[in-house]
Amino acid sequence: MSLFDYTIKELQDQLNNKEITVTDLVQEAYNQIKATDDEVQAFLTLNEEEALEKAKALDEAGVDANQFPLFGMPIGIKDNIVTKGIRTTCASQILSNLEDPLYDATVVSKLKDAKAVNIGKLNMDEFAMGSSTENSSMKTTRNPWNTDYVPGGSSGGSAASVAAGQVPFALGSDTGGSVRQPASYCGVVGMKPTYGRVSRFGLVAFASSLDQIGPITRTVEDNARILEVIAGQDEMDSTSANVEAPQYSDALTGDVKGLKIAVPKEYFREGVDEKVKESVREALKTLEEQGAEWEEVSLPHSKYAVATYYMIASSEASANLARFDGVRYGKRSENAKDMMDMFKMSRSEGFGEEVKRRIMLGTFALSSGYYDAYYKKAQQVRTLIKQDFDQIFEEYDVVIGPTAPTTAFKVGEKIDDPLTMYANDIITIPVNLAGVPGISVPCGFHPDNQMPIGLQIIGKHFDESTVYRVAHAYEQAAGYYKEKPQLGGAK
Amino acid sequence: MSKISKDQVKHVANLARLSITEDEAEKYSEQLSAIIDFSEQLNELDTTDVEPTTHVLDMKNVLRKDEPKDWITKEEALKNAPDKENGQFRVPSILE
């Protein structure tokens, strides 16, 4: 048994009872990383020396662990979240030399204040653009359940690391499903909070109207405990909302009696694997046995979500990524002769293929003569998609469906076909477009490839509490969180 | 038939400050056309009277006091620069 099989609460009790030390916890993370990361390839940068020093200091401080919500808890951070003094690359060559960032993202400051210990930085699709982590310019992360398979993306390093038991928790970011889909593929819990719930300050921007940071954990309870630390308004992010963040862990009552669940028929249509559908129906039955009620509904504009998303996200990305110009930080091309040359060559050499494709698409969609036809049209359809949710939430407490249409696919299987890759996000994308919160919780394994399946629970704006309550009630009844992948053994 | 021609691709690449080869222009012409084709499905919807979403939450004019505070210093700001001189970022010549 690993220390990371325990919950945050259990580990804090063990710390308080002097059964373990913070150094034990931090050392466990590095031991697990050394034992499994040759196979999994989740980490880009380790923070070992500083983390062990910090662990020692926390041990010597001799304070009550309960005074700090994440006292001594090891955590991994997706590499698009800025960490002062620790290399932050977004898995891109253009930032591969950014060894010494100047500040901490607000979420990182909050984790520090809660006395969590940063273990290191996790792999991702370059600038969070991708659904398999194969778009990383650094390495290809593997799914711990079967290393022939992708971990999903873009927070593939975060999900794989938690699934592999290297760290008990990680932060990811979710623009179109980048926390929930890898959580689903790796059999862990991933939450995308309401847009505005968590400060984006220090999250390297991909699509500013969609991006949210969210926790990836083994259990729903731990997930709620991380979110209650990182949530809240921040004067450094004007889009963070002035809405009080409750103690989400208080919502985990196990009581779902009378809860009204909407099940959109569009989330079960063609393209969604039959066994995935079966697992989700099974989960609905479990919730029904606990006293919840569900009904089939329609979110009629769901099918337009992928096209809408790629127009909006690429347009915003083309503007956001204009800042990488080889002037102030990051890599500058050695071959440039004049200023314009320097911009173009630094960017062409520094960005990978998918990133360039999206910059091109976004620049086209925003360019003179095309703006109304593509960008504005997509923003209008976004309104319709959001209204679908508004209507459903007048009558129902949560919306439930699969997280992804399939389980994880094999490394190399879809990388050459952008549109097939994009279709992976068909059920996660509407949630970002509407700005509502959504979680992925394990709901079984596919009988053909034994890979995990994820259940997605979507809630009203700022109602993460209900989402967590339902996710927790289901998780405890179903028990899939107890299953763990075997790594490092004979295959 | 490509919707986005190679010439358009080159124009867009210039706007995006990317340098691309002839082969890349060809490839982007095909790929971007395919994605644009795919997005044409949005035209099935009549959005004449639909307001575009600019923000999913109803927030307007979020302001804080404009007060100076200690943040990064000039030395720190220059620390990660590829090239610098006399406390400034240095770039290749702009004028002939």
Side-chain angles (χ1 to χ4, degrees):
Chain A
M1 183 146 180
S2 159
L3 280 173
F4 300 156
D5 294 340
Y6 296 103
T7 63
I8 294 175
K9 183 82 191 49
E10 288 167 342
L11 289 174
Q12 289 204 317
D13 287 345
Q14 292 181 25
L15 284 170
N16 271 335
N17 297 336
K18 312 256 185 269
E19 291 161 39
I20 56 167
T21 63
V22 177
T23 303
D24 292 338
L25 285 170
V26 171
Q27 196 56 60
E28 172 81 355
Y30 292 110
N31 291 347
Q32 292 295 338
I33 291 165
K34 271 160 203 141
T36 59
D37 215 37
D38 279 349
E39 280 182 87
V40 180
Q41 300 278 319
F43 274 92
L44 293 178
T45 305
L46 294 178
N47 186 37
E48 188 164 1
E49 203 177 315
E50 189 187 288
L52 284 165
E53 269 172 34
K54 187 162 177 200
K56 199 172 155 217
L58 289 176
D59 283 331
E60 282 168 0
V63 297
D64 181 350
N66 292 329
Q67 281 182 296
F68 299 96
L70 298 176
F71 186 88
M73 296 299 131
I75 187 156
I77 312 269
K78 187 178 181 179
D79 208 26
N80 59 349
I81 297 173
V82 181
T83 44
K84 187 176 181 176
I86 303 170
R87 193 168 82 124
T88 299
T89 69
C90 296
S92 179
Q93 288 305 311
I94 206 159
L95 289 178
S96 56
N97 63 349
L98 189 59
E99 300 288 340
D100 197 5
L102 302 179
Y103 61 89
D104 277 325
T106 297
V107 290
V108 173
S109 308
K110 287 187 167 211
L111 289 170
K112 279 184 178 170
D113 292 345
K115 304 293 181 202
V117 182
N118 177 7
I119 297 301
K121 304 299 291 289
L122 290 154
N123 198 22
M124 55 186 281
D125 286 297
E126 184 180 357
F127 287 108
M129 296 177 189
S131 311
S132 68
T133 312
E134 291 168 290
N135 291 336
S136 167
S137 79
M138 307 285 181
K139 51 168 68 168
T140 302
T141 300
R142 304 288 175 145
N143 193 308
W145 292 91
N146 181 336
T147 52
D148 291 340
Y149 287 75
V150 301
S154 68
S155 310
S158 301
S161 183
V162 172
Q166 297 175 340
V167 285
F169 339 100
L171 290 188
S173 67
D174 191 317
T175 305
S178 281
V179 162
R180 289 160 289 152
Q181 183 257 25
S184 171
Y185 282 12
C186 291
V188 292
V189 180
M191 174 65 132
K192 186 211 82 83
T194 308
Y195 184 81
R197 180 76 291 179
V198 177
S199 169
R200 294 183 296 110
F201 178 70
L203 171 67
V204 179
F206 160 14
S208 308
S209 79
L210 302 163
D211 298 340
Q212 267 292 288
I213 294 170
I216 295 178
T217 56
R218 286 260 181 88
T219 64
V220 174
E221 182 189 319
D222 282 354
N223 206 287
R225 286 190 199 281
I226 307 273
L227 184 62
E228 62 200 26
V229 168
I230 62 172
Q233 196 181 24
D234 176 16
E235 65 163 25
M236 301 301 275
D237 173 8
S238 65
T239 65
S240 65
N242 183 16
V243 178
E244 207 185 330
Q247 291 296 100
Y248 296 110
S249 48
D250 292 346
L252 312 179
T253 58
D255 181 9
V256 292
K257 265 190 210 75
L259 183 99
K260 294 184 80 179
I261 303 169
V263 180
K265 61 180 182 203
E266 289 81 4
Y267 292 0
F268 290 81
R269 67 179 168 211
E270 228 176 302
V272 180
D273 185 289
E274 285 305 318
K275 303 291 180 194
V276 169
K277 290 183 199 171
E278 252 173 59
S279 281
V280 173
R281 291 198 186 104
E282 202 59 38
L284 287 168
K285 209 187 282 173
T286 303
L287 285 165
E288 213 170 29
E289 284 160 10
Q290 295 174 287
E293 300 157 26
W294 68 269
E295 275 176 333
E296 190 177 87
V297 300
S298 176
L299 295 172
H301 298 97
S302 300
K303 71 167 178 168
Y304 301 103
V306 174
T308 302
Y309 172 82
Y310 278 93
M311 282 300 144
I312 293 172
S314 301
S315 297
E316 292 183 12
S318 73
N320 276 325
L321 272 61
R323 74 192 56 174
F324 301 104
D325 55 8
V327 176
R328 292 151 301 151
Y329 53 88
K331 274 198 174 165
R332 176 184 294 186
S333 172
E334 308 274 329
N335 309 313
K337 293 189 177 54
D338 58 30
M339 179 91 155
M340 185 58 94
D341 229 23
M342 180 200 69
F343 291 147
K344 288 187 176 177
M345 294 178 83
S346 302
R347 289 165 62 79
S348 299
E349 292 166 21
F351 291 139
E353 205 174 313
E354 181 65 25
V355 173
K356 284 192 242 187
R357 185 157 46 230
R358 296 205 201 183
I359 292 174
M360 291 286 291
L361 177 64
T363 307
F364 173 77
L366 292 177
S367 65
S368 168
Y370 297 97
Y371 176 89
D372 280 356
Y374 296 109
Y375 183 71
K376 188 178 165 204
K377 181 81 188 182
Q379 293 283 52
Q380 287 173 312
V381 179
R382 182 177 186 178
T383 302
L384 299 175
I385 290 168
K386 183 175 173 287
Q387 285 170 353
D388 281 356
F389 279 102
D390 290 345
Q391 278 170 16
I392 291 296
F393 282 131
E394 279 176 21
E395 271 188 70
Y396 298 89
D397 299 304
V398 291
V399 170
I400 287 185
T403 304
T406 64
T407 55
F409 45 91
K410 285 188 173 164
V411 173
E413 200 178 308
K414 294 189 180 176
I415 192 71
D416 293 326
D417 183 358
L419 282 174
T420 313
M421 189 69 99
Y422 296 174
N424 256 297
D425 303 329
I426 194 154
I427 318 173
T428 46
I429 277 174
V431 175
N432 300 78
L433 290 171
V436 291
I439 199 168
S440 180
V441 191
C443 71
F445 294 86
H446 198 289
D448 297 343
N449 60 13
Q450 284 75 52
M451 299 303 281
I453 301 172
L455 179 77
Q456 187 175 206
I457 303 165
I458 302 162
K460 300 171 191 175
H461 280 132
F462 298 107
D463 193 15
E464 285 85 357
S465 290
T466 302
V467 173
Y468 276 131
R469 178 159 59 90
V470 180
H472 175 74
Y474 169 70
E475 167 199 71
Q476 295 300 311
Y480 291 112
Y481 68 96
K482 294 173 192 154
E483 308 267 346
K484 297 190 176 73
Q486 297 297 315
L487 278 159
K491 277 204 291 207
Chain B
M1 270 302 285
S2 287
K3 277 217 165 66
I4 305 178
S5 68
K6 261 169 70 173
D7 281 346
Q8 269 179 300
V9 166
K10 287 178 192 171
H11 170 65
V12 169
N14 181 52
L15 292 176
R17 301 292 183 256
L18 292 168
S19 61
I20 56 170
T21 62
E22 279 296 315
D23 285 353
E24 283 174 322
E26 185 75 48
K27 186 185 70 185
Y28 282 128
S29 164
E30 282 169 27
Q31 290 182 338
L32 295 185
S33 297
I35 298 171
I36 291 292
D37 275 346
F38 173 70
S39 78
E40 296 290 341
Q41 57 173 283
L42 300 186
N43 293 324
E44 293 167 14
L45 295 168
D46 179 7
T47 52
T48 321
D49 296 320
V50 180
E51 277 293 309
T53 295
T54 50
H55 201 303
V56 289
L57 306 174
D58 192 24
M59 292 202 285
K60 288 189 185 83
N61 300 334
V62 179
L63 301 171
R64 61 172 155 77
K65 278 192 181 151
D66 186 17
E67 289 167 338
K69 63 174 187 178
D70 285 334
W71 183 232
I72 51 177
T73 63
K74 186 161 90 175
E75 287 68 33
E76 285 172 329
L78 287 162
K79 191 172 60 175
N80 291 308
D83 198 3
K84 60 196 160 194
E85 195 176 296
N86 297 331
Q88 297 171 65
F89 297 107
R90 188 167 186 272
V91 295
S93 62
I94 298 168
L95 303 168
E96 293 283 309

